């Protein structure tokens, strides 16, 4: 049962344009969402997060949008740069059935973003 | 501030052996989580430790165990290795006082079981 889904395995964008990465979730207990970037042979690097009490959070070129009714979030990167080429993971957290969620993130399968010069 | 440090970076073991992986969290972080990344299953949560106690656990068999020391450093042990245990094992740290805070990952240990 995949509770966090990134339906696009890959995305190709021209430098300077907008990159939009999408993520859907099914578990209504999730209330904290994050995006990570991963380069080969490195661990995931935290990019930006959003709490369910908000619908938008910005940090420089990165903006995350949350649509709770649709159980959908997206990451916008504007403008895209070649150095943004990496695998992007969406992740979610929330109180689970056991009453705790410490340290546990549920990840999507990732989207490979390629930004062409 | 130094990041999360994992050692070793690479390991090759034989089926049936056991292995221990090490993780040093960011200074001041008291929570350490472990994840397994494979091409088929993606990133999956193993367990989380805080103040030397396991607070949360994923759905992995008992062959996977961990511990945390008083300085917050953590080790993960896998006994009776199977071919399917070949994976990238990632450690992450956070302050640990709220689940609504990002985890900061190390670069992982690549385990190959032959």
């Amino acid at each position: 049962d995949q509770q966090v889904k990134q339906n696009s395995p890959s995305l190709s964008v021209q430098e300077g344009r907008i990159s939009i990465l999408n993520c859907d979730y099914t578990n209504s207990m999730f209330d904290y969402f994050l995006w990570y970037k991963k380069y080969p042979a490195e661990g995931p690097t935290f990019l930006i997060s959003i709490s369910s009490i908000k619908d938008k959070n910005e940090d420089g070129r990165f903006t995350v949008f949350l649509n709770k009714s649709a159980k959908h979030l997206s990451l916008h990167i504007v403008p895209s740069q070649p150095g943004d080429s990496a695998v992007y993971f969406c992740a979610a957290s929330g109180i689970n059935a056991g009453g705790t969620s410490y340290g546990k993130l549920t990840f999507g399968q990732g989207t490979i973003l390629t930004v062409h010069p | 501030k130094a990041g999360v440090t994992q050692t070793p970076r690479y390991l090759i073991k034989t089926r049936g052996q056991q292995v221990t992986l090490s993780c040093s969290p960011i200074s001041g972080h008291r929570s350490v989580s472990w994840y397994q990344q494979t091409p088929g299953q993606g990133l999956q949560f193993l367990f989380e430790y805080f103040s030397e106690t396991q607070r949360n656990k994923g759905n992995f068999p008992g062959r996977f165990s961990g511990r945390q020391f008083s300085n917050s450093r953590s080790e993960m042990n896998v006994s009776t290795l199977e071919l399917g245990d070949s994976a990238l094992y990632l450690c992450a740290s956070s302050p640990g006082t709220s689940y609504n805070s990002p985890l900061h990952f190390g670069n992982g240990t690549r385990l190959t079981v032959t």
Side-chain angles (χ1 to χ4, degrees):
Chain A
D1 174 28
Q2 207 174 343
Q3 299 183 63
V4 177
K5 296 180 185 178
Q6 294 176 254
N7 292 317
S8 298
S10 63
L11 174 67
S12 184
V13 170
Q14 206 68 29
E15 181 179 5
R17 306 294 292 270
I18 184 172
S19 295
I20 300 176
L21 297 113
N22 294 301
C23 178
D24 297 297
Y25 63 96
T26 57
N27 189 337
S28 58
M29 299 301 290
F30 288 147
D31 62 1
Y32 181 61
F33 304 89
L34 311 90
W35 284 95
Y36 283 85
K37 177 171 75 172
K38 188 178 185 299
Y39 294 118
E42 293 185 11
T45 300
F46 170 69
L47 279 175
I48 191 168
S49 63
I50 188 167
S51 166
S52 61
I53 62 173
K54 293 184 171 183
D55 54 19
K56 177 183 173 181
N57 189 26
E58 280 183 87
D59 185 359
R61 296 186 298 116
F62 302 93
T63 303
V64 56
F65 295 91
L66 176 62
N67 182 333
K68 290 185 289 293
S69 60
K71 293 191 174 68
H72 177 83
L73 65 155
S74 61
L75 174 68
H76 292 209
I77 306 174
V78 184
S80 301
Q81 300 171 353
D84 295 330
S85 297
V87 181
Y88 287 77
F89 290 96
C90 163
S93 176
I95 298 293
N96 64 18
T100 178
S101 189
Y102 291 108
K104 180 178 181 180
L105 297 178
T106 301
F107 283 86
Q109 293 295 97
T111 296
I112 301 169
L113 173 65
T114 304
V115 181
H116 298 282
Chain B
K1 224 180 198 183
V4 177
T5 304
Q6 291 189 245
T7 56
R9 286 299 307 272
Y10 301 93
L11 264 178
I12 300 176
K13 290 287 187 179
T14 303
R15 193 170 46 183
Q17 288 185 316
Q18 66 95 25
V19 67
T20 300
L21 313 181
S22 182
C23 172
S24 292
I26 291 171
S27 178
H29 284 187
R30 294 167 63 194
S31 168
V32 173
S33 304
W34 288 89
Y35 285 78
Q36 180 195 65
Q37 185 181 24
T38 58
Q41 298 297 319
L43 279 149
Q44 293 196 297
F45 171 73
L46 281 154
F47 32 64
E48 186 259 3
Y49 285 85
F50 180 83
S51 292
E52 302 178 67
T53 301
Q54 187 182 86
R55 275 196 309 192
N56 204 357
K57 188 177 185 305
N59 298 322
F60 278 81
R63 300 186 297 106
F64 292 82
S65 63
R67 59 177 176 167
Q68 186 181 35
F69 302 95
S70 58
N71 60 359
S72 295
R73 193 177 68 84
S74 177
E75 287 181 348
M76 189 190 95
N77 184 274
V78 187
S79 63
T80 319
L81 284 166
E82 300 176 359
L83 295 179
D85 297 333
S86 294
L88 179 66
Y89 289 89
L90 291 159
C91 164
S93 76
S94 73
T97 51
S98 167
Y99 71 87
N100 284 359
S101 64
L103 305 186
H104 299 275
F105 286 85
N107 286 330
T109 294
R110 171 73 62 183
L111 172 65
T112 302
V113 182
T114 61

